[in-house]
Amino acid sequence: MHRGPRMSSIALERNAPHDGNTRYILLISLVATIGGFLFGFDSGVINGTVDGLRVAFDSDSVGTGFNVASMLLGCAIGAFFAGRLADLYGRRALLIVAAMLFIASAWGSGVATSSLEFVVYRVLGGLAVGAASVMSPAYISEVSAARYRGRLATVQQIAIISGLFAAFLSNYLLARFAGASTEILWAGHEAWRWMFWMELAPAVLFLLALLFIPESPRFLVVKKRTGQAREVLVRLYGEAVGNAKLGEIEASLADDHHRPRLSDLIGKATGKVRPIVWVGIGLATFQQLVGINVVFYYGAVLWQAVGFSENDALLINVLSGALSIGACLLTVALIDRIGRKPLLWIGSLGMAVTLGLVTVAFATGSLDAEGTLQLSDAMGVLALVAANVYVIFFNLSWGPVMWVMLGEMFPNQIRGSGLAVAGLFQWGSNFAITMTFPIMLAGIGLAATYGFYALSAFVSIFFVLKFVHETRGRELEQMEG
């Protein structure tokens, strides 16, 4: 580690006025987080369209599951290649491409007339979501100072949850105005199609806003565009701190004279995958094994399965979205004070307990003649409260913290490649959980399904305690792998 330049940069940063620069960093970070909003909206909008897709395309449970999960295939591909392509063409350039794909997907998903056509457009949206999911936090981390990097990166999760909340609220209102998601709303089109078209406004805004933010200075240094990097760093931090930070970035890359590549993930001394890569894969995978996206994608179906009407189920989703935003705001206040690791293990413990309670509630239910799970009033309340507390614990911990850590934990030379691999596993796990939920629901029931998610949350406690290392307060140039 190059402690001399790092210490001088920190000293300068603490003593130099930085309010104006902080406002500029906040502004460009907020532009990047629009990608997170679209990530959330695109992920959550499917929640209210499941009935419409089933009726429009006459699909069975497996077909419906694939229609819902198809986007996640694109997410895995988008996350993997975005990390690599961002090392070649830049973080901002990849976000611009993602914005274009969001626009195409939002329009096409609404006009689709067959399952195949719908899947194609959802995969395009998946490419956008996958790219935004890894590039937005990476960009924020690369333009932020260590002292508030966690808070700014956590805003990305607030944007994701805000997108989910906006999608849930939009779905609820459109279905209510139409009478049901399958009923005609405006211009001869069903409400579920308008649910997708609502995404066009923020997608166009994202594309336009990206044209006015700078490229990541760390990418510019890697590409030997030192003059441009200096200009951006001076704009971000002021002349003294900017020049010092440029020296730190160059020093962190001094031993690597080649372009970043996937083979950098293999340690030169050991010939094995670097430990930091395995930690990234573990964080990415456990975030999905706890079953959070079952709530995001199938929330309406889940609550209908335990006796709520479609409108009531969609309203519960709105409540969950509001609670999630509140939990993320609490994370913003805590993440740079108590650190990443404590939030992770506290969240794992809370999720294990609440998922266990949901499992117990569902285990007491019985099936009626139509195969719908029936719960007593007491168990229905327990399931509802525990599931929403579970959502709070997730969004207090694994929701934002995993993305914060993936954006900052890798050394400069392997950040793009590390994000590519971790993103691939994150979205691959997401696809597996989402695709298998309707199959598990039909095969082993809600109780056993949620029991698996509870067990995963319990195991994640020990993963965090043993393998995850704190990154709070460390400059990106300090990260080791």
Side-chain angles (χ1 to χ4, degrees):
M1 287 181 286
H2 305 273
R3 295 191 180 273
R6 187 183 78 83
M7 292 302 294
S8 64
S9 173
I10 289 178
L12 284 166
E13 213 175 311
R14 285 174 176 168
N15 294 316
H18 54 267
D19 289 346
N21 295 336
T22 300
R23 286 194 291 270
Y24 179 62
I25 291 171
L26 177 61
L27 178 62
I28 63 176
S29 296
L30 288 177
V31 171
T33 61
I34 299 175
F37 179 90
L38 289 165
F39 165 4
F41 195 102
D42 210 63
S43 299
V45 69
I46 196 74
N47 193 298
T49 65
V50 173
D51 286 343
L53 296 174
R54 186 183 296 118
V55 171
F57 305 142
D58 192 27
S59 55
D60 56 19
S61 62
V62 176
T64 299
F66 187 75
N67 284 335
V68 173
S70 58
M71 180 190 79
L72 303 177
L73 291 175
C75 290
I77 296 170
F80 181 77
F81 285 102
R84 296 294 301 120
L85 292 172
D87 281 340
L88 296 174
Y89 303 109
R91 280 60 165 145
R92 174 177 172 269
L94 263 292
L95 288 173
I96 289 174
V97 172
M100 294 177 178
L101 291 174
F102 275 124
I103 293 170
S105 176
W107 174 254
S109 297
V111 302
T113 57
S114 69
S115 284
L116 178 60
E117 185 181 357
F118 178 80
V119 166
V120 168
Y121 283 115
R122 289 299 286 166
V123 169
L124 287 179
L127 293 173
V129 169
S133 71
V134 296
M135 282 303 102
S136 291
Y139 180 87
I140 293 168
S141 293
E142 292 185 351
V143 300
S144 305
R147 67 179 180 273
Y148 52 75
R149 186 179 62 232
R151 278 169 283 173
L152 282 182
T154 301
V155 173
Q156 163 78 357
Q157 181 67 14
I158 296 177
I160 294 172
I161 300 304
S162 297
L164 284 163
F165 178 77
F168 293 157
L169 182 60
S170 172
N171 288 352
Y172 169 71
L173 292 175
L174 293 174
R176 184 172 182 179
F177 290 153
S181 61
T182 54
E183 297 297 322
I184 299 298
L185 181 57
W186 298 310
H189 297 294
E190 301 94 326
W192 69 266
R193 296 184 185 275
W194 284 99
M195 292 176 184
F196 288 110
W197 290 335
M198 290 296 106
E199 188 181 351
L200 285 169
V204 171
L205 174 64
F206 185 41
L207 177 61
L208 295 176
L210 285 170
L211 301 178
F212 298 95
I213 69 172
E215 183 53 84
S216 160
R218 287 172 171 86
F219 165 77
L220 294 172
V221 174
V222 169
K223 300 298 286 185
K224 310 299 183 186
R225 291 155 60 180
T226 308
Q228 290 176 267
R230 179 179 288 106
E231 289 178 10
V232 175
L233 287 167
V234 169
R235 179 75 186 275
L236 294 174
Y237 303 110
E239 186 170 357
V241 175
N243 284 324
K245 198 167 287 290
L246 177 63
E248 292 174 20
I249 299 170
E250 290 179 322
S252 74
L253 298 168
D255 296 331
D256 292 290
H257 301 289
H258 63 276
R259 290 182 178 180
R261 57 193 181 213
L262 277 176
S263 60
D264 293 332
L265 301 182
I266 307 296
K268 294 179 181 178
T270 64
K272 298 179 181 179
V273 175
R274 296 189 188 197
I276 194 67
V277 178
W278 288 117
V279 175
I281 290 172
L283 286 169
T285 303
F286 271 115
Q287 196 211 41
Q288 294 306 307
L289 290 181
V290 299
I292 189 64
N293 281 315
V294 168
V295 177
F296 286 169
Y297 302 143
Y298 288 103
V301 175
L302 170 63
W303 296 117
Q304 288 178 72
V306 295
F308 290 93
S309 68
E310 181 187 48
N311 276 342
D312 287 341
L314 292 174
L315 187 57
I316 291 171
N317 284 340
V318 175
L319 171 64
S320 295
L323 291 173
S324 297
I325 293 173
C328 287
L329 289 173
L330 183 57
T331 306
V332 170
L334 295 176
I335 192 166
D336 285 324
R337 294 182 180 180
I338 69 172
R340 286 68 160 146
K341 186 170 181 174
L343 288 173
L344 286 175
W345 71 257
I346 291 170
S348 292
L349 179 61
M351 289 189 295
V353 172
T354 50
L355 284 170
L357 291 174
V358 173
T359 301
V360 169
F362 287 160
T364 66
S366 60
L367 298 177
D368 62 16
E370 298 180 353
T372 301
L373 182 67
Q374 299 295 314
L375 298 178
S376 67
D377 290 344
M379 288 296 103
V381 170
L382 176 62
L384 178 61
V385 172
N388 279 291
V389 175
Y390 155 74
V391 169
I392 291 173
F393 272 111
F394 177 84
N395 286 292
L396 179 66
S397 58
W398 282 81
V401 177
M402 185 214 71
W403 291 115
V404 170
M405 293 203 71
L406 289 186
E408 69 185 10
M409 65 190 285
F410 297 108
N412 283 333
Q413 183 67 22
I414 68 167
R415 185 164 299 117
S417 298
L419 279 167
V421 172
L424 177 66
F425 274 85
Q426 201 271 345
W427 289 109
S429 301
N430 193 327
F431 174 79
I433 292 296
T434 305
M435 185 66 189
T436 57
F437 175 71
I439 300 171
M440 294 173 72
L441 181 62
I444 62 176
L446 275 173
T449 301
Y450 270 72
F452 171 76
Y453 303 146
L455 177 62
S456 298
F458 180 73
V459 173
S460 72
I461 299 172
F462 301 97
F463 169 78
V464 171
L465 293 176
K466 183 172 178 60
F467 296 108
V468 176
H469 299 291
E470 185 59 66
T471 55
R472 177 174 64 100
R474 298 176 65 191
E475 295 289 344
L476 298 187
E477 285 64 51
Q478 283 186 283
M479 304 300 175
E480 298 176 340

